[in-house]
Amino acid sequence: MLTYERVTEPTPEQLKLVLLADPNQTLVETYLPQSAVYAANDVTGLAGILVVKRFAPRVVEVMAIAVTPAKQRHGYGRALLTFAYQWAIEHGYRTLRIATGTTSLTQLYLYQQQGFRVIAVEPDYFTQNYPQTIVENGLILRDRLVLERPIHLPKLPHE
């Protein structure tokens, strides 16, 4: 079971997790101040981090999502996405957006399991926006996939 706490000033441990999700510290420093940051904790401490930011009037984007390496593959990523979806509903958003690399196979699988659909491909995003070459799953990361999940609100009885 995870508990979530809003973070105004990430600790070094929390920031390390954000940088695990997005290794471009310069980019992180630009979006973090305008974002809502949540630390997810289990009984042993920090389990994950979630960073969400308004993208458009009715769209919120998951800027970073990461699970502590020792706690991966225990359902925490799924729980963080569920929390993000509920958070988006509570804050009046109609679409939850997330982006990932084309070589991020585990993440891409999880996002699609959670109802996200690819809406755009941004060619050469990582080669143009990251100073270092990123190799993931034995492949050079070049392109970014943008995925969205619509928020379906329950119908009210009188509708």
Side-chain angles (χ1 to χ4, degrees):
M1 165 126 170
L2 293 176
T3 58
Y4 300 91
E5 71 173 295
R6 176 81 188 259
V7 174
T8 51
E9 194 65 38
T11 66
E13 185 183 19
Q14 292 166 343
L15 190 55
K16 186 177 174 183
L17 264 186
V18 172
L19 292 170
L20 183 65
D22 185 348
N24 187 329
Q25 187 161 351
T26 304
L27 277 180
V28 168
E29 289 171 355
T30 61
Y31 64 71
L32 214 51
Q34 293 91 38
S35 301
V37 181
Y38 288 88
N41 299 288
D42 65 9
V43 293
T44 64
L46 183 63
I49 200 89
L50 173 72
V51 180
V52 291
K53 180 179 177 281
R54 180 182 183 269
F55 179 79
R58 311 261 302 189
V59 181
V60 65
E61 183 168 357
V62 174
M63 301 301 292
I65 182 172
V67 174
T68 304
K71 298 178 183 185
Q72 291 177 358
R73 305 215 185 275
H74 291 94
Y76 290 160
R78 187 176 324 281
L80 282 163
L81 285 173
T82 299
F83 177 81
Y85 186 78
Q86 291 300 322
W87 185 93
I89 290 170
E90 291 168 15
H91 289 83
Y93 292 100
R94 298 306 308 259
T95 303
L96 185 59
R97 178 184 175 103
I98 196 164
T100 193
T102 53
T103 59
S104 303
L105 306 177
T106 302
Q107 295 89 328
L108 186 56
Y109 181 74
L110 173 63
Y111 302 156
Q112 290 180 93
Q113 278 186 318
Q114 294 297 298
F116 288 87
R117 301 279 312 271
V118 175
I119 61 145
V121 178
E122 297 175 341
D124 298 313
Y125 176 87
F126 290 98
T127 53
Q128 292 173 358
N129 293 288
Y130 286 71
Q132 74 282 11
T133 298
I134 301 171
V135 177
E136 188 177 42
N137 294 314
L139 299 167
I140 293 175
L141 176 56
R142 291 183 172 85
D143 308 325
R144 182 168 94 151
L145 298 173
V146 179
L147 300 94
E148 288 186 351
R149 179 180 177 190
I151 293 173
H152 300 291
L153 300 174
K155 296 265 188 222
L156 297 174
H158 66 278
E159 291 184 297

